[in-house]
Amino acid sequence: MQIRKIIKEGIAFTINLLYGSRLHGASILMYHSIGDNDKFSTVTPKNFERQLQFLKKHNYTIVTLQEILRRKENG
């Protein structure tokens, strides 16, 4: 059961990363829930950490939506 959840979360992460919303060159990743349950829209804390490490390793800059909007306002 755990392997299935890891695969599901990996697929969702990859789809969001490759085909997620774009705003002036920004990929927007949205997490509905982070926790230890079996709901479809939930990512485990361990896998959330792995996803953040992947983004860091591949030189993504992580900012909040508020930061993106501030940067857009300031050109």
Side-chain angles (χ1 to χ4, degrees):
M1 185 69 167
Q2 184 66 10
I3 215 64
R4 189 171 157 191
K5 185 167 180 65
I6 291 170
I7 291 169
K8 175 202 61 120
E9 291 177 6
I11 290 170
F13 177 72
T14 302
I15 289 170
N16 280 327
L17 189 61
L18 295 176
Y19 305 106
S21 301
R22 303 289 286 175
L23 176 64
H24 297 283
S27 292
I28 299 174
L29 303 178
M30 181 174 64
Y31 292 87
H32 293 277
S33 177
I34 299 169
D36 289 313
N37 62 60
D38 290 332
K39 292 183 180 177
F40 179 76
S41 61
T42 300
V43 174
T44 64
K46 184 177 182 179
N47 283 329
F48 179 68
E49 178 66 28
R50 285 180 185 160
Q51 292 171 8
L52 292 180
Q53 290 301 322
F54 172 89
L55 295 172
K56 182 178 179 180
K57 179 180 177 181
H58 291 90
N59 298 315
Y60 283 83
T61 301
I62 299 172
V63 297
T64 63
L65 181 57
Q66 290 81 7
E67 177 65 14
I68 291 171
L69 295 175
R70 186 188 67 74
R71 290 180 186 189
K72 184 178 182 222
E73 284 179 3
N74 295 331

